Amino acid sequence: MPDVRDIRQHLESLLASAVSAAIAAGDLPDVAIPGTALERPKDIANGDYASTLPLRLARSAMKPPLEIAKAIARHFPADPVVEPPAVAPPGFINFRLSQGFVQSQVEHIVRFGPAYADLALGSGKKAQVEFVSANPTGPLHVGNGRGAAIGSAMAAVLAAAGYEVEREYYVNDAGTQTDTFGETLYARYQQQFGRDVPIPAEGYPGEYMAELAREIKAQAGDRFLRPPGEAGPADLTGLGIELMVRSIRQTLVRFGVEYDRWFSEKSLYDPEGPYEEAMGILRANGQLVEREGALWFTSSELGEEKDNVVVRSDGRPTYYASDIAYHYDKFVRRGFSLVIDVWGADHHGHVSRLKTATAAVGGNAEGLQILLYQLVFLKRSGEAVKLSKRAGELVTLDELIDDVGSDAAKFFFLLRSPGAQMDFDLDLAKTQSSENPVFYVQYAHARLASMLERAAEQGITPEGGDVGLLVQPQELGLIREMMRLTEVIEVAATTFEAQHLPHYAMELATAFHSFNDAFKQQGDSSLKVLTEDVAMTKARLRLVLAAKVALARVLGLMGMTAPERM
RNA sequence: GCGCCCGUAGCGCAGUGGAUAGCGCGUUUGGUUGCGGACCAAAAGGUCGGAGGUUCGAGUCCUCCCGGGCGUACCA
């Protein structure tokens, strides 16, 4: 029997042979086939799969679609995986998977265990997901949490789809905002020693900067103090950044997000580093010109709206220059074939020109996927809270984790498509915490675990359970739902949309609860998992085991825990 | 002004050009004293922002308009 992962292909080839047979028999005119048009009906009553081929063929075949459907169905070969197809108006061919095939998937899932639904789509190609990458000039806020949830889930999905995935955090430890951070820190530091110095106008007024200064004073005393009026030392800035990065990392670990690499922006400027090489390429291609004292990349010649400055008139490279070097490094030096950048939507003006520049330095712009997530609008007591580090008013990711927990926060972030603006009502998140859908999903996993445990106490295990005994609609429905995981991963990995995961997780949990409560609905205790009938019990435990595997897998992809008990 | 994103049930959101537009919360009704009640089943609730167009078929694609957001820096 074919693998679930190949089921589409299998059906398509059966369909193709049915069409040729119909043509050979003269039931269909010899027309070009516009693909098999296989899709998933919304309503399970219409089968597991359906083809709209007859509708598409009607015009060129000069026949009513329903007749075409009947002709194809008539010539459809017998197959152990699928029942003889049904035809429905106005011209659908509906396929239902055979009961035997559906049942066999329980064994398939149990056999693969934690690797269930792994795909070979990526065929071992190197993929990188870079996410969060917030400036280390302040603590992570709630919006960064959305990026963290999306990025880590995308990384997990791509790994499941067969890519070799690297997770990276780009540390902006160079540039203007770093300098501003340093100036603010030095001001706060001086304040610790009683000097009446103001925070720079464009600086970071948040209280955390004062705390950071206090911490540094506690550690290093007045080592960084300079005579009044002088600028602060560079190594104070370096230390401040280092401490901020450390605290950001701690927050992300609390959030359950880990990285393979923390990439320093500063390192781009090492001798013979990516910056030198990338700019060398642009220069060699005659794409750098000096104008008004600055160095410009002539991006308008490559279709951009305008040229962009790469080196300011004061000699410092722009953020754009850093990013060109960085993406040169990703594609050319490190050889990633797929690069995903997860950015806040406020960066979207940067997308097009970065793609253009990436191509200009020899990178594969096609392999560059930039996922923009709309900013999170926080509400507190119904009132909007503007997220801005510079305004100094922010709700940190740490606070969010304290309030609703990492699992729930991730689930909510993933639930919305990145392009949708979301309101996160903090008060509501708190009061709703016991009714969150995340608990519904995790609770299902805990119940599955507990059933296996309870059975084991009675000396009954899933081993040797005969899946052929699973014939109840709720049982088969649950298996069908588990089978969908492969499809969900495929869609998520090819469209780069993580929101399919939480939606699927809820549907899988619903299928389980429905199966689990079937005996209540029907008032028939023989539908319980643990019954007098040992063979039946073992078969259902086998299903329970598989459901636990599938649910744990999707929870894992979302970066959530799969609790054994709650 | 120009560019991009969003507009779907009271609220929050899904919806690879296909069949009766779904899910969660909330509301109403019923079940279940449980192999874990953080459960199940059912109902009510929609001019898919508006108007044209393409198509056998449009929430989905195209054009215009309205509303919200974000860009449009020698910030990141």
Side-chain angles (χ1 to χ4, degrees):
Chain A
M1 279 202 187
D3 193 289
V4 224
R5 293 168 287 191
D6 303 325
I7 199 72
R8 265 175 184 278
Q9 219 181 336
H10 183 70
L11 286 175
E12 281 169 9
S13 76
L14 292 174
L15 199 52
S17 61
V19 170
S20 342
I23 292 171
D27 290 349
L28 260 187
D30 193 358
V31 291
I33 308 303
T36 46
L38 204 63
E39 57 187 48
R40 290 282 244 167
K42 282 182 204 148
D43 189 346
I44 185 74
N46 290 321
D48 292 299
Y49 295 88
S51 173
T52 56
L53 185 59
L55 291 163
R56 289 160 206 256
L57 232 43
R59 185 186 284 261
S60 57
M62 309 269 282
K63 287 179 86 139
L66 206 54
E67 247 178 70
I68 299 171
K70 282 176 183 163
I72 295 172
R74 204 159 43 236
H75 291 281
F76 199 82
D79 188 272
V81 166
V82 62
E83 290 172 12
V87 164
F92 292 99
I93 308 175
N94 294 334
F95 304 100
R96 180 169 295 280
L97 295 172
S98 70
Q99 184 165 290
F101 179 70
V102 173
Q103 290 164 339
S104 74
Q105 295 312 305
V106 172
E107 292 303 333
H108 173 87
I109 293 165
V110 170
R111 187 166 66 247
F112 280 84
Y116 166 60
D118 268 358
L119 307 176
L121 276 177
S123 57
K125 281 184 290 198
K126 283 178 69 180
Q128 187 211 45
V129 184
E130 181 225 318
F131 57 105
V132 184
S133 300
N135 277 349
T137 52
L140 297 180
H141 55 68
V142 168
N144 297 130
R146 190 174 188 184
I150 292 169
S152 59
M154 267 324 304
V157 162
L158 291 174
Y163 287 91
E164 189 190 312
V165 179
E166 194 170 306
R167 296 151 214 249
E168 184 155 298
Y169 190 114
Y170 179 55
V171 182
N172 298 114
D173 53 4
T176 313
Q177 295 204 3
T178 301
D179 297 343
T180 308
F181 170 83
E183 285 159 24
T184 307
L185 180 58
Y186 187 56
R188 286 296 200 186
Y189 181 71
Q190 292 182 85
Q191 286 173 2
Q192 291 299 311
F193 295 93
R195 288 187 189 167
D196 183 21
V197 285
I199 291 160
E202 296 296 308
Y204 300 93
E207 182 57 27
Y208 65 89
M209 290 298 286
E211 281 165 30
L212 187 58
R214 256 194 299 281
E215 198 182 320
I216 290 173
K217 182 190 175 190
Q219 273 182 25
D222 63 0
R223 187 155 71 78
F224 296 106
L225 210 56
R226 295 291 177 271
E230 276 186 32
D235 53 348
L236 174 65
T237 307
L239 177 61
I241 294 283
E242 194 185 314
L243 292 172
M244 281 313 309
V245 169
R246 192 176 302 169
S247 114
I248 285 171
R249 191 189 312 221
Q250 278 168 4
T251 301
L252 287 166
V253 166
R254 278 191 76 203
F255 198 51
V257 171
E258 308 251 9
Y259 288 87
D260 300 305
R261 183 161 177 187
W262 293 68
F263 189 99
S264 157
E265 177 183 2
K266 224 193 289 185
S267 74
L268 293 168
Y269 297 94
D270 290 345
E272 291 175 39
Y275 176 78
E276 257 180 42
E277 284 185 20
M279 290 304 136
I281 292 170
L282 295 182
R283 188 169 294 111
N285 292 339
Q287 290 167 324
L288 294 182
V289 299
E290 216 169 315
R291 201 188 303 152
E292 300 158 34
L295 193 64
W296 298 71
F297 171 43
T298 56
S299 43
S300 61
E301 289 172 13
L302 299 171
E304 289 302 302
E305 275 185 22
K306 57 183 193 61
D307 292 346
N308 287 281
V309 172
V310 285
V311 181
R312 299 179 180 89
S313 46
D314 64 4
R316 295 178 318 167
T318 59
Y319 166 80
Y320 184 41
S322 284
D323 244 11
I324 293 171
Y326 184 35
H327 286 79
Y328 170 79
D329 187 68
K330 291 186 186 199
F331 282 103
V332 180
R333 293 187 129 201
R334 287 196 268 170
F336 288 109
S337 46
L338 175 63
V339 169
I340 295 186
D341 293 352
V342 182
W343 293 351
D346 54 338
H347 288 65
H348 85 245
H350 189 55
V351 171
S352 176
R353 63 175 192 233
L354 179 61
K355 287 189 171 175
T356 296
T358 297
V361 295
N364 169 26
E366 302 289 304
L368 177 58
Q369 289 290 333
I370 296 173
L371 303 186
L372 297 175
Y373 59 89
Q374 291 291 333
L375 302 188
V376 178
F377 293 91
L378 278 183
K379 282 172 150 176
R380 210 199 281 277
S381 319
E383 209 168 305
V385 179
K386 180 79 177 165
L387 283 179
S388 164
K389 273 185 202 180
R390 298 193 194 171
E393 181 185 22
L394 43 84
V395 174
T396 64
L397 181 54
D398 274 313
E399 287 168 351
L400 184 69
I401 296 170
D402 293 338
D403 275 357
V404 301
S406 294
D407 282 353
K410 282 178 183 165
F411 193 88
F412 274 122
F413 282 135
L414 292 175
L415 203 51
R416 279 123 180 124
S417 69
Q421 293 159 23
M422 68 180 281
D423 288 336
F424 208 119
D425 191 317
L426 293 166
D427 301 317
L428 201 65
K430 270 186 247 185
T431 56
Q432 273 193 340
S433 62
S434 63
E435 298 156 2
N436 279 340
V438 61
F439 291 95
Y440 176 80
V441 174
Q442 290 183 317
Y443 177 64
H445 187 270
R447 279 179 93 174
L448 286 159
S450 129
M451 289 165 77
L452 289 166
E453 200 176 310
R454 193 156 302 236
E457 282 164 11
Q458 298 173 27
I460 307 174
T461 67
E463 265 75 70
D466 175 10
V467 295
L469 298 173
L470 303 170
V471 296
Q472 297 298 325
Q474 287 89 347
E475 292 165 349
L476 297 169
L478 176 55
I479 301 171
R480 284 189 155 93
E481 204 54 50
M482 298 187 301
M483 289 165 66
R484 276 213 313 129
L485 179 56
T486 55
E487 235 169 274
V488 169
I489 291 175
E490 182 178 345
V491 169
T494 51
T495 61
F496 310 108
E497 293 172 348
Q499 72 268 24
H500 300 287
L501 297 173
H503 287 280
Y504 169 72
M506 281 195 282
E507 280 158 21
L508 181 58
T510 297
F512 161 69
H513 284 304
S514 182
F515 154 75
N516 196 45
D517 283 357
F519 78 95
K520 291 184 196 167
Q521 288 163 40
Q522 294 170 30
D524 179 355
S525 66
S526 75
L527 292 177
K528 287 185 174 185
V529 172
L530 306 180
T531 66
E532 304 290 310
D533 183 343
V534 175
M536 195 64 242
T537 300
K538 276 179 164 296
R540 293 201 175 120
L541 284 175
R542 203 98 187 122
L543 174 55
V544 164
L545 184 59
K548 184 166 174 278
V549 164
L551 202 49
R553 184 80 215 256
V554 68
L555 283 166
L557 290 173
M558 291 188 287
M560 295 167 60
T561 56
E564 296 287 314
R565 50 176 57 85
M566 294 173 73

